[in-house]
Amino acid sequence: MMVPDDIGVIIPAYNAENTIGRIIEGLCLIGFDRKNIILVDDGSVDNTAGIAFKWGVEVIRIKKNSGKGYALRLGFQEAISKGLKMVFTLDADGQHRVSEIQNFLKFFRDYDLIIGTRTIDSKKMPFIRNIVNRTTSLVISLLSHRYIPDVQSGFRLINLKIFDKVRLKTKNFQTESEIVYKAIKNGYRIQFVPVSTIYHNNGKSYINPIIDTLRFVNMAVRFLWV
């Protein structure tokens, strides 16, 4: 299936020079217009931005590492200013198979938010990611009164019209959960598609198990009063 011209990609990235070139190449091969691929470099100290520039994609540079959620918010703003209607979000560490974008495109006209649900293998998934994903998915499921199998998945297709009502206030890893909860509360249509996940032996999780858990708890408590 051809990629519609009004669908772009947002990649929040931090020190991803080893993987970002391969991701961008895969997106170009699928048919994405390079000007619709938005790389948000969140204060990287390596050559992430330089590699993206060489590929000719849109690059937004944040001088100081400010959080994945903040990078996503800048990406959404840029996509809206470009006139894009929908965007994929992809993690920059190479854990997603770009070819599986086709799984989302089968349903893009029918839903406002499509989340790639990872097959969770606790033996392969980094321990911190496993615990954080299971806990946050359970909490958001309870708060939204809908089963959410993978609230932390960064592989998504988002109709940008949801931001007519969804106002994001967080700027770290909890932002992905915030998007899901507020999309459901505002009546947007959500679907899940299975995706495979590649965990690299040298992959590093930037989740702080204490600080990011406290941030998530603070957000979840606030949801109780909204």
Side-chain angles (χ1 to χ4, degrees):
M1 181 181 294
M2 296 292 294
V3 178
D5 293 337
D6 56 2
I7 297 182
V9 182
I10 297 171
I11 310 171
Y14 179 62
N15 293 341
E17 64 178 7
N18 293 327
T19 52
I20 196 61
R22 184 170 67 253
I23 293 170
I24 295 174
E25 180 180 20
L27 292 170
C28 293
L29 288 173
I30 287 176
F32 282 97
D33 190 323
R34 296 186 189 207
K35 72 176 185 294
N36 292 337
I37 300 174
I38 304 168
L39 185 286
V40 186
D41 180 12
D42 188 20
S44 297
V45 295
D46 64 3
N47 196 36
T48 297
I51 294 171
F53 274 122
K54 288 182 179 179
W55 277 97
V57 304
E58 180 83 16
V59 179
I60 299 173
R61 299 195 72 175
I62 305 172
K63 291 183 178 180
K64 182 180 179 180
N65 184 252
S66 300
K68 184 179 183 181
Y70 182 71
L72 284 170
R73 287 164 61 175
L74 289 183
F76 295 142
Q77 292 171 12
E78 180 65 17
I80 291 170
S81 72
K82 285 177 172 290
L84 296 173
K85 300 301 182 184
M86 305 184 80
V87 291
F88 282 94
T89 61
L90 287 169
D91 290 344
D93 59 2
Q95 70 168 281
H96 305 135
R97 296 186 187 279
V98 174
S99 60
E100 293 184 337
I101 278 175
Q102 299 297 335
N103 298 345
F104 295 76
L105 291 176
K106 297 174 184 177
F107 306 103
F108 80 99
R109 299 185 189 279
D110 302 318
Y111 297 96
D112 305 306
L113 172 60
I114 304 175
I115 301 172
T117 302
R118 297 166 291 182
T119 300
I120 306 301
D121 185 340
S122 59
K123 294 181 180 179
K124 295 182 180 179
M125 190 178 198
F127 178 75
I128 292 176
R129 289 187 184 183
N130 189 22
I131 295 299
V132 170
N133 185 67
R134 289 179 181 273
T135 302
T136 54
S137 295
L138 174 61
V139 171
I140 295 301
S141 294
L142 292 172
L143 288 172
S144 62
H145 305 291
R146 174 169 178 176
Y147 175 59
I148 309 297
D150 191 357
V151 76
Q152 286 290 331
S153 173
F155 199 177
R156 303 178 174 195
L157 177 58
I158 303 171
N159 191 319
L160 292 169
K161 74 178 182 181
I162 75 170
F163 297 112
D164 292 341
K165 295 181 179 179
V166 172
R167 299 288 186 265
L168 299 177
K169 297 182 178 180
T170 61
K171 65 176 186 177
N172 293 286
F173 285 100
Q174 74 271 39
T175 300
E176 287 165 327
S177 298
E178 182 185 16
I179 292 172
V180 176
Y181 175 81
K182 290 185 175 179
I184 292 173
K185 285 300 181 181
N186 282 284
Y188 290 108
R189 303 164 299 170
I190 297 180
Q191 181 60 285
F192 304 91
V193 297
V195 295
S196 53
T197 308
I198 307 166
Y199 291 112
H200 304 280
N201 292 332
N202 60 345
K204 178 181 179 181
S205 174
Y206 292 102
I207 293 176
N208 185 305
I210 297 176
I211 294 176
D212 285 305
T213 296
L214 290 175
R215 286 170 176 160
F216 177 82
V217 170
N218 179 61
M219 178 189 70
V221 170
R222 286 189 286 108
F223 286 164
L224 291 172
W225 305 104
V226 176

